[in-house]
Amino acid sequence: MSDIKIVQSPPNIEGPGFQATSLDKIIGLARANSLWPLPFATSCCGIEFMATMGSNYDLARFGSERISFSPRQADVLLVAGTISKKMGPVLKQVYLQMAEPRWVIAIGACASSGGIFDTYSVLQGIDKVIPVDVYVPGCPPRPEQIIDGIVKLQEIVKNESLRRRESDEYKALLGSYGIQ
Amino acid sequence: MVQIDNQYILTELQDKFGERIYNSYEPYGLLTIELDKNSIKEVLQFLYDHKELQMQFLTDVCGIHYPQVFGKELGVVYHVHSLINNVRIRIKCFMPIENPSIDSATFLFSSANWQERETFDFYGINFIGHPNLKRILNADEMDYFPMRKEYPLEDGTRTDKDDSYFGR
Amino acid sequence: MIESLALNNKSEKTDYNILNLGPTHPATHGVFQNILKMDGEIIHETTSTIGYIHRAFEKIAEHKPFYQITTLTDRLNYCSSPINNMGWHMTVEKLLGVETPKRVDYMRVIIMEFARIADHLVCNSIIGADTGALTGFTYVFQWREKIYDIFEEVCGARLTTNIGRIGGMERDFSPACMKKMHDFLNDFPKYFDEFTMLLERNRIFMERNIGVGPISAERALNYGFTGPNLRAAGVDYDVRVMNPYSSYQDFDFMIPLGTQGDTYDRFVVRQHEIRESLKIIKQALNNIPEGKFFADVPDFFLPPKEEVYNNMEALIFHFKIVMGEATVPVGEVYHSVEGGNGELGFYMVSDGGRTPYRLHFRRPCFISYQAYPEMIKGSMLSDAILTMSSMNVIAGELDA
């Protein structure tokens, strides 16, 4: 007897031979449980991310089996580590290469706010150049915390409306980062 | 076989370079000499070729800034190691902050390349004869030398910091 | 027809392909940019750009009291942060002229050698992963987790440990911690042997690695190589033996050496260093002397919390330490330890103030990585990737 857990189906109307639910919910469910992460690992947090992917913590249990090293086929950008001002434009370019819908997790204090490196060379949080969905605190966060961040993001993904990426608010958000 | 200790190295250097060694002392047992900056190439070559010493390993190159010492504001500190005899020497060369320049050690040590670039990046010290002297860690567009004492640690363009919360 | 292929074209070429590798290339395990001038698949010239995570450690260090700099050293070589921490503590102790009790030395040695094992495990499993043998990676990572469990038991953190204090350790090894260490020593060798069998004498792995990215001993010395990379080239320079610190002279261990300085030798040297580290830990654990786990430096070593609440003197010291008001002698000091990648040096100039006047880190990665263009010249692109992972370049240490 296997104890594999399968996700609950969204609220629906069921009858003989048919099942009706909202398209938003079913697509959200599919997206949330098959996020392809793109690790943008620069420093210490990257090592903890390796541990998260490794055998003990195994992020694959949460549907992120496939690490996408190409931004083109990735859903979620995991920024793990310090981003310096020299790196900022590179990060933005990687983000621009990703296809919609795309999400961003800032892993660790440096990516979230610059952390202990309040210096001339470090970008004080990646939200200065790209919009961020989930911030994971810690210096570096434990693998459990990183997994928690991804589970939190899954909630966001699940409940996102299909029209969000076309909305004026979203365009305004991107516009505030100079992205058309 | 001669006894290789700090005194021996110092005597050898003083015999050869005499007045060009301004000062010497031994903080924590490591022989430190202050050297005329124009002699650095000769001294490194001398230590490298010396039959007994064979100081052929450049451990470290770094810069230092003393804004109060007039005419000797910037310095370069070399740590050279003799792996055969296991003795080290620290060489310091000081120079004025206007047009700071010193001969590059890359003619002898390949490892000096990036370390000198780093020193240039941080302190703006110009290494004459360096094959590719440009910024290494900071962005090329940077227009100041951040490790000099007068420049602040923190980024001046930050707007989200309210000093009144920190009693400043 | 075949003669026209770039691979076999020996004549003078004027057109090259430019390949931009990095700074976020997945194959490079870090943020290094290399612009390769390629002749077909063969690398003709390389221009390295670094500094993509320059964090201004040295500038920060000029603004932080001595005990707070430990957190910075954590983030230099984050694969083996305890070694950096203790190197820094020993530097300050040297400046202050503090004699640490033997027990402290032995505890430090144990922690540092565990850190070295973790560091080498990461590097070697990555070499395996880059040659396509991902099994080894998933296999040893659970053992690295066990080392992190030990660190957690000692200091409460996994990766950036901030382990130990100036003058000693923050607390003694607990019985649970001792048990974990002994368990590790008992169980790990068996699994490590299996990892060794997977790769070390594996024919495919050997053919893939032997002769890749070699460097001669002379060039390695000239480039300032230290640590496993230098020893793979055949030079027996190890700070632990040359300038013993923290009672390393008490232990009996070997320095593994390579001959070719290629990727395979670097891999094997690291493999054997792991075994030697296990030997050192065993000796240290068996002979660890009784006694205090901190030296008598009330100006730097935090008093126990109960005393702070009940004892006036302890309260004053606590306040002084936390505010960073402890005085240090004027002077300059260079101290080096054998880090995961080589000689990790701290050059500190103190003017007697609450912060170092100047602190320079001699970062082994930074110095050895400049040899990379020379090492990969004339080799294939895929070998260049392997050479980089076998040099174990850690971005945090590279860019400071």
Side-chain angles (χ1 to χ4, degrees):
Chain A
M1 187 56 191
S2 137
D3 57 352
I4 294 171
K5 291 202 173 61
I6 293 174
V7 283
Q8 293 286 313
S9 73
N12 57 58
I13 303 162
E14 236 176 322
F18 80 96
Q19 187 178 31
T21 182
S22 97
L23 191 63
D24 272 20
K25 292 218 170 65
I26 206 82
I27 288 186
L29 184 79
R31 279 176 176 171
N33 291 296
S34 166
L35 287 171
W36 286 10
L38 163 64
F40 194 92
T42 59
S43 52
C44 337
C45 294
I47 303 289
E48 279 302 58
F49 180 72
M50 264 161 72
T52 316
M53 293 309 302
S55 23
N56 272 37
Y57 293 96
D58 196 13
L59 188 60
R61 293 177 294 157
F62 300 90
S64 299
E65 171 73 47
R66 186 201 184 266
I67 299 288
S68 173
F69 283 111
S70 159
R72 289 292 189 195
Q73 288 99 350
D75 299 313
V76 48
L77 178 62
L78 297 167
V79 184
T82 317
I83 302 296
S84 69
K85 285 180 181 160
K86 203 170 171 180
M87 196 62 158
V90 181
L91 175 65
K92 189 164 179 176
Q93 197 179 1
V94 169
Y95 179 75
L96 289 176
Q97 279 178 296
M98 290 170 67
E100 291 282 12
R102 56 193 168 189
W103 294 274
V104 178
I105 302 184
I107 294 174
C110 288
S112 305
S113 71
I116 61 170
F117 301 107
D118 184 4
T119 66
Y120 59 86
S121 61
V122 175
L123 197 65
Q124 300 299 310
I126 58 164
D127 48 10
K128 295 272 183 291
V129 288
I130 55 173
V132 178
D133 294 281
V134 174
Y135 297 88
V136 180
C139 188
R142 298 178 55 92
E144 290 95 329
Q145 269 173 288
I146 298 178
I147 291 176
D148 184 47
I150 289 184
V151 172
K152 288 271 190 311
L153 183 77
Q154 287 184 342
E155 283 306 307
I156 294 177
V157 174
K158 236 179 249 175
N159 297 318
E160 186 176 307
S161 103
L162 283 181
R163 292 266 168 224
R164 178 181 172 234
R165 305 280 158 173
E166 274 89 54
S167 68
D168 289 338
E169 287 88 357
Y170 185 70
K171 286 201 175 110
L173 173 71
L174 287 188
S176 69
Y177 290 97
I179 302 168
Q180 295 307 313
Chain B
M1 187 69 196
V2 283
Q3 175 69 34
I4 293 185
D5 55 8
N6 289 346
Q7 194 51 49
Y8 172 77
I9 304 172
L10 189 60
T11 322
E12 286 288 302
L13 280 170
Q14 272 170 342
D15 286 352
K16 174 88 176 156
F17 297 100
E19 290 295 292
R20 284 186 277 174
I21 293 168
Y22 296 143
N23 200 355
S24 73
Y25 34 92
E26 291 181 24
Y28 298 91
L30 186 63
L31 176 65
T32 306
I33 58 168
E34 271 175 39
L35 187 74
D36 173 22
K37 70 160 182 154
N38 297 318
S39 312
I40 185 68
K41 250 174 132 164
E42 277 177 73
V43 170
L44 288 177
Q45 186 77 56
F46 173 75
L47 291 170
Y48 193 92
D49 293 337
H50 193 290
K51 275 207 181 57
E52 305 290 341
L53 290 173
Q54 302 190 42
M55 291 200 156
Q56 298 177 351
F57 190 81
L58 181 70
T59 305
D60 194 29
V61 178
C62 69
I64 191 164
H65 184 207
Y66 290 104
Q68 285 87 24
V69 188
F70 180 73
K72 287 171 147 194
E73 285 94 346
L74 288 177
V76 183
V77 185
Y78 301 83
H79 286 81
V80 191
H81 194 177
S82 163
L83 293 179
I84 304 276
N85 303 303
N86 193 21
V87 282
R88 285 183 207 274
I89 182 170
R90 183 186 292 140
I91 303 170
K92 293 181 175 178
C93 299
F94 289 100
M95 61 204 79
I97 201 157
E98 298 86 26
N99 289 323
S101 66
I102 187 168
D103 285 325
S104 166
T106 44
F107 74 101
L108 199 58
F109 300 106
S110 307
S111 62
N113 189 330
W114 281 14
Q115 303 191 59
E116 286 179 350
R117 272 177 74 185
E118 187 192 44
T119 311
F120 167 74
D121 192 352
F122 284 168
Y123 290 96
I125 295 168
N126 188 18
F127 289 88
I128 301 162
H130 190 284
N132 180 25
L133 194 65
K134 57 176 194 180
R135 285 187 185 273
I136 183 163
L137 295 177
N138 289 304
D140 288 331
E141 307 84 64
M142 202 169 197
D143 54 356
Y144 65 102
F145 300 108
M147 282 292 282
R148 289 192 183 176
K149 290 281 178 189
E150 65 261 37
Y151 295 110
L153 165 70
E154 288 157 21
D155 178 9
T157 59
R158 274 189 80 158
T159 50
D160 55 335
K161 258 189 175 175
D162 188 347
D163 276 354
S164 62
Y165 291 122
F166 298 94
R168 280 181 284 198
Chain C
M1 186 64 200
I2 286 176
E3 283 79 52
S4 68
L5 288 174
L7 255 176
N8 295 332
N9 195 350
K10 292 279 194 301
S11 64
E12 192 70 23
K13 266 191 75 90
T14 46
D15 53 332
Y16 291 100
N17 304 321
I18 304 294
L19 181 71
N20 183 14
L21 197 65
T24 61
H25 198 274
T28 53
H29 312 292
V31 280
F32 325 104
Q33 187 182 23
N34 287 295
I35 297 167
L36 309 171
K37 203 167 140 189
M38 313 266 306
D39 176 3
E41 179 80 351
I42 292 166
I43 296 162
H44 190 74
E45 206 181 306
T46 312
T47 316
S48 299
T49 310
I50 65 166
Y52 282 106
I53 62 160
H54 175 50
R55 298 183 274 191
F57 280 104
E58 292 177 7
K59 189 83 180 172
I60 300 175
E62 288 177 10
H63 292 78
K64 295 260 186 238
F66 290 84
Y67 77 97
Q68 288 185 2
I69 292 171
T70 320
T71 50
L72 289 181
T73 60
D74 271 334
R75 285 150 186 84
L76 272 173
N77 181 348
Y78 33 73
C79 285
S80 54
S81 18
I83 303 183
N84 311 351
N85 297 156
M86 297 187 175
W88 166 246
H89 295 322
M90 283 182 254
T91 311
V92 180
E93 282 159 17
K94 197 168 172 181
L95 183 77
L96 297 169
V98 176
E99 279 282 321
T100 47
K102 268 279 182 220
R103 188 175 176 84
V104 173
D105 289 355
Y106 275 55
M107 287 167 84
R108 281 183 175 166
V109 165
I110 292 169
I111 299 292
M112 281 193 281
E113 292 306 322
F114 271 123
R116 196 181 316 282
I117 293 176
D119 185 279
H120 288 355
L121 275 184
V122 175
C123 178
N124 276 0
S125 61
I126 291 287
I127 296 176
D130 279 355
T131 49
L134 198 66
T135 322
F137 174 85
T138 48
Y139 212 67
V140 297
F141 251 58
Q142 46 182 324
W143 290 94
R144 198 186 68 137
E145 291 294 332
K146 298 243 192 275
I147 295 177
Y148 283 170
D149 284 351
I150 293 168
F151 291 164
E152 231 176 339
E153 203 67 57
V154 178
C155 73
R158 281 162 51 87
L159 188 71
T160 48
T161 46
N162 201 10
I163 214 165
R165 298 287 178 262
I166 295 166
M169 300 291 289
E170 67 269 41
R171 62 178 77 81
D172 213 340
F173 289 156
S174 66
C177 174
M178 282 297 207
K179 184 176 177 303
K180 280 189 177 171
M181 288 182 192
H182 281 293
D183 285 353
F184 184 87
L185 288 183
N186 288 336
D187 300 342
F188 176 64
K190 197 174 110 220
Y191 288 88
F192 187 59
D193 285 345
E194 232 165 301
F195 175 72
T196 311
M197 280 198 294
L198 271 175
L199 296 178
E200 205 172 299
R201 301 300 293 171
N202 179 329
R203 172 120 185 238
I204 304 170
F205 184 79
M206 285 170 80
E207 298 220 343
R208 180 73 184 83
N209 283 284
I210 290 174
V212 170
I215 189 161
S216 69
E218 290 78 27
R219 291 306 292 156
L221 280 174
N222 202 260
Y223 267 119
F225 273 47
T226 43
N229 295 344
L230 179 66
R231 291 193 283 272
V235 183
D236 59 341
Y237 175 56
D238 188 315
V239 187
R240 290 175 292 175
V241 178
M242 198 86 146
N243 295 306
Y245 51 91
S246 191
S247 298
Y248 263 109
Q249 67 276 9
D250 295 2
F251 304 105
D252 176 28
F253 62 101
M254 314 262 271
I255 303 296
L257 283 184
T259 50
Q260 306 297 316
D262 58 4
T263 299
Y264 185 70
D265 277 10
R266 282 189 282 272
F267 174 85
V268 176
V269 163
R270 285 203 170 84
Q271 288 287 90
H272 284 264
E273 276 188 18
I274 291 175
R275 294 187 190 280
E276 296 303 318
S277 293
L278 286 172
K279 255 164 70 182
I280 298 174
I281 297 171
K282 237 175 230 160
Q283 292 171 45
L285 272 179
N286 290 340
N287 302 322
I288 189 163
E290 291 300 315
K292 284 210 276 193
F293 57 90
F294 53 89
D296 184 25
V297 268
D299 279 336
F300 283 90
F301 190 84
L302 277 174
K305 221 30 177 204
E306 312 82 73
E307 280 197 33
V308 176
Y309 290 136
N310 297 312
N311 182 332
M312 189 61 174
E313 204 181 25
L315 178 67
I316 292 170
F317 276 125
H318 183 97
F319 184 76
K320 271 177 82 174
I321 295 168
V322 173
M323 298 306 288
E325 297 301 329
T327 49
V328 293
V330 181
E332 55 189 314
V333 54
Y334 177 82
H335 182 74
S336 59
V337 294
E338 180 71 26
N341 286 322
E343 177 175 349
L344 177 76
F346 299 86
Y347 171 56
M348 174 164 61
V349 179
S350 156
D351 62 348
R354 66 194 289 269
T355 65
Y357 185 78
R358 170 87 169 99
L359 177 61
H360 179 73
F361 302 104
R362 184 211 188 265
R363 309 173 320 264
C365 283
F366 175 69
I367 294 170
S368 58
Y369 182 55
Q370 48 185 320
Y372 183 61
E374 191 177 305
M375 288 163 79
I376 62 169
K377 192 174 176 178
S379 67
M380 298 280 195
L381 177 61
S382 50
D383 292 351
I385 303 293
L386 208 51
T387 308
M388 181 183 280
S389 44
S390 73
M391 285 171 81
N392 198 15
V393 189
I394 308 282
E397 192 172 77
L398 184 78
D399 291 344

